[in-house]
Amino acid sequence: MVHQEVMPLLTPFKMGRFELSHRVVLAPLTRCRSYGNVPQPHAAVYYSQRATRGGLLITEATGVSATAQGYPETPGIWTQEQVEAWKPIVDAVHRKGALFFCQMWHVGRVSTNDFQPDGQAPISSTDKQISPDAEPGMVYSKPRRLQVDEIPGIVDDFRRAARNAIEAGFDGVEIHGANGYLLEQFMKDGANDRDDEYGGSLENRCRFAVEVVDAVVREVGAQRVGIRLSPFLDYMDCVDSDPAALADYMVRQLNKHEGFLYCHMVEPRMAVVDGRRQIPHRLLPFRKAFNGMFIAAGGYDREEGNKVVTDGYTDLVAYGRLFLANPDLPKRFELGAPLNEYDRSTFYTQDPVVGYTDYPFLDEDSSDLTANDA
Ligand SMILES: Cc1cc2nc3c(=O)[nH]c(=O)nc-3n(C[C@H](O)[C@H](O)[C@H](O)COP(=O)(O)O)c2cc1C
């Protein structure tokens, strides 16, 4: 008998009380197909296409309130209608045997008045607008700096969204503390210019995010809560002068909650060395300082994913663009099969099929799920 080594990415892992059968995680991916901020039946097809027994999926970023939006047709989880709409989607994923976490976000100033109730200004840590060159072709509106006495209300929005996510059947929630959105606008000194108890020192800047973590943990239990952080990115003008200190401070706050499930960190931007993209692999100190499970994301392929799991650099690896374009990514990794190319032009379009549920499977038979099957 030929002895075949199981590749590290496809080995089982115990994530708190959850048993994973492999380490290939679907990264949160905004898809702009939830009309009127309500998740749609076609999302059940999309997510269940990517579900495997013992796999972990994270939803696209999902709004915690009416002020949380900044992109067209993104889902929410603050109304009962949204909760009810998520239920069949979560069920479809569970029927395939996968775990499903809901990523909860508030975009803060990455928005325009058009997305806001009554055309008001988006809210933020600051009243500084995102510079026009942060994202070519996009002009974000001038935000309104949150007053200190408004912050508990936003913390409570995250708490309620987490409760709603559990009611919708999700296995847990991921707090979106990354990529330049509201929590990062407070955390990073490039965006936070406050001089009250939510600005200035690292402790003050992280206070809002820590309050959200504490409230969500109290509401649904630490064993159901993860967070996504991107200390090294500068997306949407959110840059910090000492990202390592920021990351270290945050993981130590997470450690205060016994059993806090996971820390999901995004790698610094990739550099190209000798024609090959190089992942900087600078997250190890925070993985070591953190007591829970670690997910790394940003630029991984099959080879790099296997390498970092073997090296103990991370427990799990989240795949964004590759999983978007390859619904059967774990199987393709297992077989060493070629991958579909992703089509950037359809990342954020609103079609319920094109660029969404129409990427082919290796075995085409399993791709013809309909909303009813799912
Ligand atoms: C279309 C698209 C949508 C994304 N939406 C989200 C999101 O909703 N939440 C989030 O935290 N990151 C989001 N990201 C970032 C990805 O989760 C991931 O970190 C990034 O794509 C890098 O990983 P990759 O090289 O495996 O694609 C998005 C990325 C893409 C390409």
Side-chain angles (χ1 to χ4, degrees), residues 73-135:
E73 318 296 5
T74 49
I77 193 145
W78 75 91
T79 69
Q80 197 58 36
E81 183 191 6
Q82 291 161 342
V83 173
E84 295 305 321
W86 274 116
K87 284 181 182 174
I89 303 167
V90 178
D91 278 352
V93 168
H94 282 161
R95 275 205 298 278
K96 297 278 290 282
L99 294 168
F100 204 11
F101 273 55
C102 180
Q103 189 189 53
M104 308 185 300
W105 76 345
H106 193 302
V107 298
R109 68 176 179 170
V110 186
S111 186
T112 66
N113 294 49
D114 294 338
F115 284 106
Q116 297 300 314
D118 305 322
Q120 290 174 18
I123 55 174
S124 183
S125 56
T126 175
D127 52 17
K128 268 191 307 189
Q129 197 170 358
I130 298 173
S131 61
D133 31 275
E135 202 181 325

Side-chain angles (χ1 to χ4, degrees), residues 27-31 59-62 103 105 174 176 178-179 181 228 264 266 270 277 297-300 318-322 324 342 344 347-348:
L29 292 166
T30 290
R31 306 312 319 277
T59 66
E60 63 211 276
T62 300
Q103 189 189 53
W105 76 345
E174 175 173 293
H176 196 341
N179 297 355
Y181 300 111
R228 191 173 222 218
H264 180 180
V266 186
M270 288 172 290
R277 290 179 314 163
Y300 281 94
Y319 290 89
R321 291 160 296 179
L322 295 188
L324 185 156
Y342 52 80
R344 193 181 296 278
F347 279 174
Y348 302 108

Side-chain angles (χ1 to χ4, degrees), residues 38-49 51 57 59 76-77 79-98 100 164-171 356 369-374:
V38 178
Q40 301 291 310
H42 47 249
V45 182
Y46 169 76
Y47 283 111
S48 62
Q49 282 180 336
L57 309 186
T59 66
I77 193 145
T79 69
Q80 197 58 36
E81 183 191 6
Q82 291 161 342
V83 173
E84 295 305 321
W86 274 116
K87 284 181 182 174
I89 303 167
V90 178
D91 278 352
V93 168
H94 282 161
R95 275 205 298 278
K96 297 278 290 282
F100 204 11
N164 287 346
I166 300 304
E167 192 199 324
F170 283 105
D171 300 288
Y356 191 55
L369 269 174
T370 67
N372 289 338
D373 297 330

Side-chain angles (χ1 to χ4, degrees), residues 13 23 287 292-296 308-309 312-317:
F13 180 72
R23 297 154 187 259
R287 188 261 203 285
M293 175 201 100
F294 203 81
I295 310 179
V308 288
V309 171
Y313 174 82
T314 190
D315 298 306
L316 309 179
V317 182

Side-chain angles (χ1 to χ4, degrees), residues 109 176-181 184-185 187-191 228-244 246-247 264-271 280 282-283 286 297-299:
R109 68 176 179 170
H176 196 341
N179 297 355
Y181 300 111
E184 258 207 356
Q185 291 158 29
M187 279 188 261
K188 291 188 170 174
D189 58 10
R228 191 173 222 218
L229 299 170
S230 58
F232 293 98
L233 294 192
D234 57 3
Y235 193 54
M236 298 294 173
D237 285 354
C238 249
V239 61
D240 196 78
S241 58
D242 192 351
L246 172 61
H264 180 180
M265 235 183 237
V266 186
E267 296 280 353
R269 244 175 236 292
M270 288 172 290
R282 276 164 61 198
L283 308 181
F286 321 112

Side-chain angles (χ1 to χ4, degrees), residues 284-360:
L284 190 60
F286 321 112
R287 188 261 203 285
K288 284 187 172 160
F290 180 54
N291 293 340
M293 175 201 100
F294 203 81
I295 310 179
Y300 281 94
D301 59 11
R302 177 176 183 259
E303 183 187 339
E304 283 290 326
N306 278 318
K307 181 172 176 306
V308 288
V309 171
T310 308
D311 293 350
Y313 174 82
T314 190
D315 298 306
L316 309 179
V317 182
Y319 290 89
R321 291 160 296 179
L322 295 188
F323 221 150
L324 185 156
N326 294 275
D328 48 1
L329 187 66
K331 186 171 178 190
R332 287 179 193 250
F333 280 173
E334 182 183 355
L335 301 175
L339 301 181
N340 301 325
E341 303 255 322
Y342 52 80
D343 177 3
R344 193 181 296 278
S345 71
T346 56
F347 279 174
Y348 302 108
T349 48
Q350 272 94 67
D351 194 277
V353 175
V354 178
Y356 191 55
T357 55
D358 62 347
Y359 282 105

